[in-house]
Amino acid sequence: MGDMTNSDFYSKNQRNESGHGGEFGCTMEELRSLMELRGTEAVVKIKETYGDTEAICRRLKTSPIEGLPGTAPDLEKRKQIFGQNFIPPKKPKTFLQLVWEALQDVTLIILEIAAIISLGLSFYHPPGESSEGCATAQGGAEDEGEAEAGWIEGAAILLSVICVVLVTAFNDWSKEKQFRGLQSRIEQEQKFTVVRAGQVVQIPVAEIVVGDIAQIKYGDLLPADGLFIQGNDLKIDESSLTGESDQVRKSVDKDPMLLSGTHVMEGSGRMVVTAVGVNSQTGIIFTLLGAGGEEEEKKDKKAKQQDGAAAMEMQPLKSAEGGDADDKKKANMHKKEKSVLQGKLTKLAVQIGKAGLVMSAITVIILVLYFTVDTFVVNKKPWLPECTPVYVQYFVKFFIIGVTVLVVAVPEGLPLAVTISLAYSVKKMMKDNNLVRHLDACETMGNATAICSDKTGTLTTNRMTVVQAYIGDVHYKEIPDPSSINAKTMELLVNAIAINSAYTTKILPPEKEGALPRQVGNKTECGLLGFVLDLKQDYEPVRNQMPEEKLYKVYTFNSVRKSMSTVIKLPDESFRMYSKGASEIVLKKCCKILNTAGEPRVFRPRDRDDMVKKVIEPMACDGLRTICVAFRDFPSSPEPDWDNENDILNDLTCICVVGIEDPVRPEVPEAIRKCQRAGITVRMVTGDNINTARAIAIKCGIIHPGEDFLCLEGKEFNQRIRNEKGEIEQERIDKIWPKLRVLARSSPTDKHTLVKGIIDSTHTEQRQVVAVTGDGTNDGPALKKADVGFAMGIAGTDVAKEASDIILTDDNFSSIVKAVMWGRNVYDSISKFLQFQLTVNVVAVIVAFTGACITQDSPLKAVQMLWVNLIMDTFASLALATEPPTETLLLRKPYGRNKPLISRTMMKNILGHAVYQLTLIFTLLFVGEKMFQIDSGRNAPLHSPPSEHYTIIFNTFVMMQLFNEINARKIHGERNVFEGIFRNPIFCTIVLGTFAIQIVIVQFGGKPFSCAPLQLDQWLWCIFIGLGELVWGQVIATIPTSRLKFLKEAGRLTQKEEIPEEELNEDVEEIDHAERELRRGQILWFRGLNRIQTQIEVVNTFKSGASFQGALRRQSSVTSQSQDVANLSSPSHVSLSNALSSPTSLPPAAAGQG
């Protein structure tokens, strides 16, 4: 179904229509064209064509009150005639397309060509087969049989290329599949409330059909198009469709059109669904986008081919190409900065790739020169025409060796490791209640330095209960006895609570015996309804007597009013309004209060101050939310002007003030302690009053009495950060945020201001990485601005989920700590992999290079190199990237954006192990034949059989890598490298599996792998030398890193101010090319001019400290800049497979040798 193109979709639906159109009073086409009208046009059209919305409901055979009957045949029929409520996703790439993309890799193409030439030459025999005259570099007669087997090497290389390609394609394919799974999981989690057969039920969005009566409320993202039937104060933000930022007020007689994809900003109501899926307004836009998308891709392809030349560039891993649908595109818009890790990796890969290219070029040049000089100059052989093929074969062999060096040098496993590590983490994070929507959020979370959390529902259980009350001049410290309350007061109280709350809020009987009653809907209102039940009263009869349709006017709750009021018409035609809201706000509007006898008495401002001191503050200091319930009567004539809110919401009579408790979640204090230990500051941002907020913050452990910290109210916060003109000043925010722990009575804008202020601050040496939690519609901006936005899966509105990076499926703060742990784990996994990978790279390149220069032949053959590349890249990335996280990750401070990827400890390990491996390999290469009493494998002629000597070298090399892989599991210099190894079954399987395959290759690989079978004692020696790695690892761990000052250049920038390397280079670049990149020029100003001096110093330091690495780094920094530029301009959702089409793709080479 998903693959059906949209046009099929329509034609199929239309065919059905002609058959069934008669069953319903209107066709899909009619409804679709109706939904394209706006405002008054639509009202006129409805009047002319249908009469009114009721009539449309009748035609669609649905009842505005009862909803659809909800029988299966009826729903099926509706789906057939009007379509289903889902938009078919773009077709995924087929496996063959992915294979084709993997083949585009430059290195692979070079290898393929070399292999084909080698194959061709091996079958070509020149006439007069007399190659005696030709130089066989170092003599040595060939076996006839061996000459026949000349084709094997070419074939083996082709085979390994095929493996690489298949592995790469398979990785891409499974990744795409995972994303689609994730996408559909996110989609299934979206539920919507509809009325069916008179029952309010929640169904998955995809199940909604035309004719459904949907209940809409504040914070919903509308899932389908519909007509407004009834409701109050409904305001919609239609900017996602129209681009107009003003909220549109909806009403039955002025503008009843509700469109899919728009957000409800205020109010509530009901609508009848008129168009779903591809026929809804959003669906139509998507259909157009779908068609546009294909053309875009063609353009992209052209651009890609031109890039191919710049093979050494590596695009960062693109996040989720999976369900590339709307939210990804939107989401990618605001993630402009590359994630920290990608920045560092891109840079590193480019550096290594360049070094590899240089090394391989030198290798080829040296081999060719040596051969020609030796043959034609020293031995004075003439170039005979019949010898040409032989010479060409030599050159091809040299070329293959060069390419092999390049293949080994380029860490193609890097992107693979990152992808595997992120994908694995995302999968596992699901179990920890984190639903990750953007991959890089997972890794950014590991660097988080600050978390701004909501209070209600995140730090607390969000199960509200009234525990104190002030009624009729008495302050009750627990629920009062119903008999002690005056009957008149009681009746008013019950009515005020039952009527003036959303009718969707209810308290249902518990699911299990002995459990607490279930709270459905707004939790604060549930607390109040619970209070009514505790007073032995019932709210249901009141609601039945005054159904929702009869409510005269409703002022819904919003963040500006902080109160909710409902007006009803009394039997005598006069009006009564019930209000409830934050006590300090509602009490200001009260001028009377009910006394013990239930009679109103005057309530003066000084009485109010008295009450605040004696009742409200003590409640708040116990961590209770205080809510005031009040009412006001209006005469029937003249009818008040309901739109003049200030006059209406005044002169109230207070009925009671209640204190609602929302207990702290039991696991939160521990989670917050972990965060603080891990160097993450937790701040609480809440709409509650400051005393309540402070009390809860102390319970959670966000603040400890006696510490130096700030607790501010939104109002004061705004006064402190704004100058005389009312503009926000960064330096003023910098004075406040480091100490700020609690921001109370804050509006959503305050939250956004705070987050932006902390992120833009240059107050600390490292840029702060901020995570934010949010659940309300108005938290959207703050969630988007933050480095990582967490939305609440249960209490969160659709708008908040849409703006977030990670959804907490259990709304629990302790899940955030899990996310931090996983994020740090990703970073560490990559570092482990790098430490292992670079050791292999350094050793393999140096061995191939020196071997080629001294003995004219690399001790490690092309096919062997490809196999080594496969273990060290694909397998190692799998093994090391899937290490499960441990609690110890939370014992260190965040790395920060400018911590180099390769710390000094890692550099020490890499170089230390490289020294060990090189020493042993060269010992074996030059004196191995004497040690083992075997023939020397050096200087063998072109097609000679594989020697035991070189097989031992190859085998030892692989054994050392295997044991070094165990060393690589720890990167902070820990002693016990085996700790927790059995918790990672993947690691164990891969190490043992690699070992088994190695045995097969050596004993039975024969000619294709250039291996001769080894004796048992030789095997034991190889394993023994490999085990030496573990011992040597302990030796290295003993050397204190602090002594190795010379390693600094490799890991670190100048001490004075550690600017993240990438940023530094970007800045230098920007100064040069300011015109070319005005877009990025702004970054400069944010970083402040004070950085420029530092940069000059850094540049000088680079010049003076130009060690080899320094030089390398300088070079690469330039590329990485040009690259950053490239990345910025490239669309951010190009799929990874293309991103692999460069150095990264070399890796496939690695990947493939399976």
Side-chain angles (χ1 to χ4, degrees), residues 762-781:
T762 47
H763 182 76
T764 47
E765 51 181 344
Q766 306 227 345
R767 158 154 131 52
Q768 296 279 311
V769 178
V770 185
V772 170
T773 67
D775 51 6
T777 304
N778 37 28
D779 289 332

Side-chain angles (χ1 to χ4, degrees), residues 307-593:
D307 288 356
M312 285 336 289
E313 282 187 35
M314 179 173 189
Q315 285 146 339
L317 296 158
K318 295 302 179 337
S319 82
E321 328 83 274
D324 221 42
D326 54 335
D327 56 351
K328 286 288 176 297
K329 290 194 180 129
K330 273 189 226 148
N332 279 332
M333 289 318 200
H334 73 269
K335 293 270 168 232
K336 292 217 186 39
E337 265 185 69
K338 256 197 310 208
S339 84
V340 191
L341 190 61
Q342 283 172 1
K344 292 179 180 176
L345 282 178
T346 309
K347 187 144 188 245
L348 195 73
V350 172
Q351 290 178 354
I352 299 173
K354 287 199 152 159
L357 199 58
V358 173
M359 291 293 268
S360 63
I362 296 176
T363 314
V364 175
I365 293 168
I366 290 182
L367 283 170
V368 170
L369 281 179
Y370 192 99
F371 176 75
T372 42
V373 170
D374 190 64
T375 312
F376 301 118
V377 181
V378 181
N379 295 334
K380 301 202 169 50
K381 290 259 173 71
W383 180 298
L384 302 169
E386 65 268 21
C387 293
T388 308
V390 182
Y391 295 145
V392 173
Q393 236 165 337
Y394 271 110
F395 290 138
V396 169
K397 178 176 141 188
F398 298 150
F399 183 61
I400 290 180
I401 293 174
V403 174
T404 319
V405 173
L406 177 64
V407 171
V408 178
V410 175
E412 2 8 341
L414 267 182
L416 192 65
V418 182
T419 312
I420 291 177
S421 182
L422 287 174
Y424 171 78
S425 305
V426 167
K427 223 175 181 160
K428 290 280 191 226
M429 282 169 81
M430 290 269 197
K431 295 198 177 79
D432 287 336
N433 305 310
N434 283 303
L435 181 65
V436 182
R437 294 185 59 226
H438 301 130
L439 264 196
D440 49 0
C442 168
E443 162 252 319
T444 314
M445 206 44 222
N447 285 324
T449 53
I451 297 177
C452 297
S453 172
D454 279 355
K455 176 180 78 72
T456 313
T458 315
L459 299 173
T460 59
T461 54
N462 205 4
R463 195 189 162 81
M464 310 275 187
T465 38
V466 172
V467 288
Q468 297 188 18
Y470 179 87
I471 305 176
D473 295 342
V474 189
H475 184 178
Y476 298 95
K477 294 285 187 170
E478 60 245 11
I479 300 288
D481 184 334
S483 56
S484 64
I485 297 176
N486 175 292
K488 269 201 270 183
T489 311
M490 183 67 99
E491 190 199 355
L492 269 170
L493 178 61
V494 174
N495 279 331
I497 291 176
I499 293 173
N500 184 27
S501 58
Y503 279 33
T504 46
T505 304
K506 307 188 192 50
I507 293 195
L508 303 177
E511 286 176 331
K512 295 197 280 288
E513 276 298 302
L516 294 166
R518 282 185 300 153
Q519 297 188 338
V520 182
N522 180 317
K523 297 298 196 259
T524 313
E525 291 179 353
C526 285
L528 291 168
L529 292 174
F531 180 51
V532 171
L533 299 177
D534 290 339
L535 292 173
K536 310 282 183 287
Q537 307 289 317
D538 191 5
Y539 62 90
E540 277 300 337
V542 182
R543 285 185 172 181
N544 295 340
Q545 198 186 334
M546 175 59 69
E548 206 170 352
E549 296 77 61
K550 286 198 185 157
L551 300 180
Y552 196 81
K553 171 105 182 104
V554 179
Y555 299 95
T556 48
F557 181 88
N558 65 26
S559 55
V560 181
R561 285 192 193 121
K562 294 236 192 269
S563 68
M564 170 180 181
S565 315
T566 304
V567 182
I568 59 171
K569 215 171 188 164
L570 297 174
D572 64 358
E573 292 294 309
S574 65
F575 300 101
R576 172 171 289 170
M577 176 177 76
Y578 294 116
S579 271
K580 67 165 193 294
S583 54
E584 58 256 54
I585 289 172
V586 178
L587 280 177
K588 280 198 184 115
K589 300 179 173 162
C590 290
C591 62
K592 298 197 189 73
I593 186 167

Side-chain angles (χ1 to χ4, degrees), residues 952-1096:
I952 292 180
I953 295 179
F954 166 57
N955 200 18
T956 311
F957 183 66
V958 172
M959 288 304 130
M960 292 199 285
Q961 300 325 325
L962 275 185
F963 287 104
N964 194 26
E965 196 163 337
I966 300 175
N967 278 332
R969 292 182 67 244
K970 299 285 176 236
I971 48 174
H972 298 297
E974 296 91 333
R975 288 264 171 194
N976 179 6
V977 289
F978 290 103
E979 181 195 0
I981 194 164
F982 295 115
R983 288 221 321 273
N984 186 357
I986 305 186
F987 185 88
C988 303
T989 327
I990 284 183
V991 171
L992 295 172
T994 314
F995 187 69
I997 302 178
Q998 179 65 15
I999 295 180
V1000 174
I1001 288 182
V1002 170
Q1003 297 307 89
F1004 310 107
K1007 181 74 192 182
F1009 279 97
S1010 320
C1011 286
L1014 297 181
Q1015 258 74 75
L1016 183 62
D1017 61 327
Q1018 292 168 334
W1019 261 103
L1020 291 174
W1021 271 106
C1022 293
I1023 295 174
F1024 173 70
I1025 296 176
L1027 275 167
E1029 270 287 0
L1030 293 173
V1031 183
W1032 183 248
Q1034 295 301 318
V1035 175
I1036 295 181
T1038 322
I1039 309 172
T1041 312
S1042 51
R1043 289 285 169 79
L1044 306 172
K1045 289 278 188 275
F1046 64 89
L1047 290 180
K1048 223 178 248 172
E1049 291 95 17
R1052 197 44 147 273
L1053 279 166
T1054 50
Q1055 231 60 40
K1056 169 137 187 255
E1057 179 180 352
E1058 304 198 351
I1059 310 173
E1061 267 180 67
E1062 324 126 82
E1063 292 188 3
L1064 174 108
N1065 299 326
E1066 286 169 18
D1067 282 359
V1068 179
E1069 174 93 344
E1070 275 157 11
I1071 297 168
D1072 300 344
H1073 303 260
E1075 306 78 14
R1076 206 179 73 207
E1077 317 172 38
L1078 275 173
R1079 286 173 305 145
R1080 304 181 61 205
Q1082 302 151 349
I1083 305 176
L1084 261 182
W1085 296 109
F1086 294 152
R1087 295 203 186 122
L1089 292 170
N1090 64 334
R1091 291 274 176 109
I1092 291 180
Q1093 296 143 336
T1094 326
Q1095 284 150 16
I1096 294 166

